[in-house]
Amino acid sequence: MRAHRKTWWSVALSLLVVAMPAWAARPYRGGAVATAHPMASEAALRMLDKGGNAVDAAVAAAFTLAVVGPYHSGLGGGGFALVHDAKTGGTQVLDFREVAPKAATRDMYLKDGQVVPGLSTDGATSVAVPGAVAGYLELLEKHGKLPRAVVLQPAIEAARNGFWVSPKYQALATLRRDCLRQDPEAARIFLAKNEQGELDVPPIGHLVRQPELARTLQTLAKSGPKPFYSGPIAQAMVDTVKAGGGVLSLEDLKDFKTRAHAPLEGSYRGHRILTMPPPSAGGLAVVQVLGALERLRPQGLEFREPETLHLYTEAVRRVYVDRVKYLGDPAFVKIPMESLTSSGYIADLAGSIDPKKATPSASLLPPVEGASGSTLKKPDGTWYDPSSAPEKKNTTHISVIDKNGNAVALTTTVNYAFGSCLVAKGTGILLNDEMDDFAALPGVPNAYGLVTGEANAIAPGKVPLSSMSPTLVFSKEDPKKVMLAVGSPGGSTIPTTVIQVISNLVDHKMDVVRAVGQGRLHHQYLPDELWVDRWGLEAATQAALEAKGHKIRRQEAWGDAEAVYSDPKTNLRYAASDPRNEGAALGQD
Ligand code: DON
């Protein structure tokens, strides 16, 4: 009997040891990185292995993504980065988002007072002044350690040797096939001849080689950003856009400037949070929603509990109303940021939520009367119903924390899949369609079904309002030590993806892999629907939410969260690339 008991105990003990790892993800003693493409994560890791810091790694990944993920980002795009310096404890924000060309006008996408679908999303008319090259290279210049030529090398190799077409490439090229076919240069590079001899979505495994882009990258490696903003590369971009009826000029490029901002600060259950201020609406949403949740549930959130999900949805709905009312480029509009982030304001926001039932969005802010349609064109020329806007996965995010605790959260984009579908002739540069992030007509939804207001109307030199939310969360014990770097694509859904990853970690004590992989819920004021992804809700919870008056719409999985977690206690790092996509999380042993 005694012997038997002993055996039982040892079996139980060994099972416990096997079945209860402290974390589900693999720990790294050195730096770690997560990006949306394995080749970009490998490029970043290469920089860390060469003794580079988090910025070297992030910039190498950004340039590589511009080659291997043309549906996400590119040299003709823009973005935002948060950079944390472990030595000084300081965090800086670099804003290298595109701006409207000088010849842009408020009504440029309207005809007879109505939005013309496609004008702000497809081709030359949709192109804003690109900022990515200025941004990536400034980050490297100011905060990197490695030479430019070393950091750009993986991207140059990827452009020269090619990358293979994956299921995601196919899905997004299918979405944009008609748009890509409009530009012979884009079609030649990103499509391939089918059996009928037409340029079509390439088969899986097809190698996309971009020799012109390799040459452009080599020029940048050698000479820095100058040739991009003046000289033959700039001229090629201007000629291509002008030939297609757009308004980009050499002066636009010459005058492009990145902007530095102070990070937007918030906190959640004792963790300091630094995130992206305007011209992104994303950071404000992160700070306001988390602030409201903490106030409404001071003891913590219960996982997937209907009352909690109701409060979350209602907080998000209200925050997206603020977005419409107040947000735009802070250089053009006065945004009451201090008030919008104050504890009194957040208390009022939380207090305005009816715990029993959903507040109809229209009662918070009536939709613009008579506004109809959307900027996004279907192949038949009509517009998409904004609720079913087909794609919320492009744009791309890079998270890195290096072995010394330096961290980068960088979100970058050409906006919609394959941007404007226009490649500047002879350069391989895919141009953005970021102009669609403006309110083409206040009240009419853009490609993400997002409605924005007067504050986001088009003006020359103005930055279109963004949702991109690169975010750093700090350790409770040491508010200068980064615990989490996170961000995601997904247009309007970006802030709620970031909020849910943070809550999964902080409230539900999930490892970073689980936190990123969980199902998601999203509301954005209009359309007045709670979007739920494939894994977002159990039937009983859905029924409980419906009983409160929420109109639920199931959507395909959205977003592509990329996160690196640094355990404040062990100083080990864990990385997670969203299982909804094709990225990779890597690190140094
Ligand atoms: O800046 C923005 O908010 C958008 N241009 C981001 C686009 C995006 O995430 C596309 N993903 N579906």
Side-chain angles (χ1 to χ4, degrees), residues 282-430:
L284 179 63
V286 170
V287 167
Q288 288 183 322
V289 171
L290 289 176
L293 289 177
E294 184 170 350
R295 192 164 280 274
L296 289 159
R297 286 283 189 270
Q299 305 307 324
L301 303 182
E302 243 186 89
F303 185 56
R304 292 279 175 83
E305 185 255 343
E307 304 297 320
T308 307
L309 296 179
H310 169 71
L311 296 177
Y312 157 80
T313 306
E314 290 303 306
V316 171
R317 181 201 305 277
R318 283 159 175 75
V319 161
Y320 276 72
V321 170
D322 281 355
R323 175 186 176 126
V324 181
K325 282 192 189 159
Y326 304 113
L327 295 197
D329 180 353
F332 284 70
V333 289
K334 178 107 194 70
I335 308 172
M337 283 305 283
E338 224 164 90
S339 148
L340 290 172
T341 52
S342 68
S343 57
Y345 187 88
I346 290 174
D348 286 350
L349 188 153
S352 76
I353 295 174
D354 181 341
K356 297 217 166 57
K357 57 180 201 306
T359 310
S361 287
S363 73
L364 296 173
L365 180 68
V368 175
E369 225 174 288
S372 65
S374 138
T375 61
L376 192 63
K377 194 172 72 170
K378 276 187 182 168
D380 66 4
T382 59
W383 59 74
Y384 277 99
D385 161 12
S387 306
S388 64
E391 167 272 323
K392 297 176 201 76
K393 279 190 171 197
N394 59 76
T395 297
T396 202
H397 180 83
I398 299 160
S399 286
V400 190
I401 306 182
D402 69 22
K403 65 177 192 299
N404 297 317
N406 301 305
V408 176
L410 188 161
T411 313
T412 184
T413 189
V414 283
N415 190 30
Y416 209 57
F418 290 91
S420 63
C421 313
L422 196 64
V423 172
K425 215 158 180 223
T427 67
I429 297 167
L430 178 65

Side-chain angles (χ1 to χ4, degrees), residues 80 97 323 391-395 413-416 434 437 448 465-468 488-492 494:
F80 304 133
R97 185 158 168 84
R323 175 186 176 126
E391 167 272 323
K392 297 176 201 76
K393 279 190 171 197
N394 59 76
T395 297
T413 189
V414 283
N415 190 30
Y416 209 57
E434 216 69 55
D437 277 344
Y448 309 107
L465 186 62
S466 175
S467 304
M468 294 188 290
S488 175
S492 54
I494 293 173

Side-chain angles (χ1 to χ4, degrees), residues 15 56 76-77 84 103 114 178 189 259 275 278 348 358 399 407 416 420 425 427 430 432 522 568 571:
L15 267 179
D56 296 305
H84 179 76
Q114 296 292 317
D178 294 334
I189 298 170
R259 284 93 31 196
T275 182
D348 286 350
S399 286
Y416 209 57
S420 63
K425 215 158 180 223
T427 67
L430 178 65
N432 70 83
H522 173 78
N571 204 32

Side-chain angles (χ1 to χ4, degrees), residues 4 159 219 264 356 524 536 538:
H4 181 79
T219 306
L264 178 61
K356 297 217 166 57
Q524 58 183 44
E538 296 71 24

Side-chain angles (χ1 to χ4, degrees), residues 21-283:
W23 293 92
R26 175 179 171 184
Y28 293 109
R29 289 177 298 174
V33 52
T35 83
H37 199 288
M39 287 169 78
S41 296
E42 280 156 16
L45 194 61
R46 224 161 107 181
M47 298 306 121
L48 295 178
D49 286 344
K50 280 180 190 292
N53 61 21
V55 174
D56 296 305
V59 173
F63 275 108
T64 305
L65 284 164
V67 177
V68 302
Y71 36 83
H72 292 138
S73 64
L75 300 189
F80 304 133
L82 263 70
V83 177
H84 179 76
D85 181 340
K87 225 184 221 155
T88 63
T91 304
Q92 302 198 19
V93 172
L94 190 67
D95 165 3
F96 46 95
R97 185 158 168 84
E98 304 90 325
V99 301
K102 293 178 202 289
T105 60
R106 189 189 158 88
D107 296 340
M108 64 193 282
Y109 300 122
L110 306 185
K111 194 167 171 224
D112 304 328
Q114 296 292 317
V115 169
V116 183
L119 270 190
S120 60
T121 56
D122 303 357
T125 50
S126 67
V127 178
V129 188
V133 168
Y136 301 165
L137 291 178
E138 182 173 335
L139 287 170
L140 191 62
E141 179 80 23
K142 285 203 172 136
H143 309 283
K145 278 166 67 182
L146 298 175
R148 202 164 51 217
V150 171
V151 173
L152 268 71
Q153 191 55 28
I156 295 169
E157 285 166 18
R160 200 184 291 138
N161 304 334
F163 67 92
W164 60 272
V165 166
S166 66
K168 183 172 184 182
Y169 185 108
Q170 278 201 328
L172 293 174
T174 302
L175 179 74
R176 295 296 260 168
R177 176 170 36 202
D178 294 334
C179 183
L180 287 165
R181 280 179 174 162
Q182 299 296 311
D183 177 36
E185 191 89 338
R188 175 178 65 76
I189 298 170
F190 299 122
L191 301 177
K193 283 213 171 118
N194 62 17
E195 279 170 8
Q196 290 76 44
E198 300 161 328
L199 286 168
D200 206 343
V201 175
I204 302 270
H206 170 85
L207 210 58
V208 179
R209 288 206 178 93
Q210 301 171 82
E212 297 91 348
L213 186 56
R215 266 203 306 279
T216 298
L217 286 162
Q218 263 171 327
T219 306
L220 300 181
K222 187 159 163 262
S223 313
K226 213 156 176 218
F228 188 92
Y229 290 97
S230 55
I233 298 179
Q235 191 66 53
M237 288 193 280
V238 168
D239 290 348
T240 301
V241 172
K242 288 232 161 108
V247 293
L248 186 71
S249 70
L250 280 176
E251 291 69 48
D252 287 324
L253 289 163
K254 185 168 63 58
D255 293 349
F256 182 85
K257 285 192 180 55
T258 62
R259 284 93 31 196
H261 304 285
L264 178 61
E265 181 156 355
S267 75
Y268 191 52
R269 304 195 193 279
H271 295 276
R272 178 174 173 243
I273 293 178
L274 294 182
T275 182
M276 188 65 210
S280 177

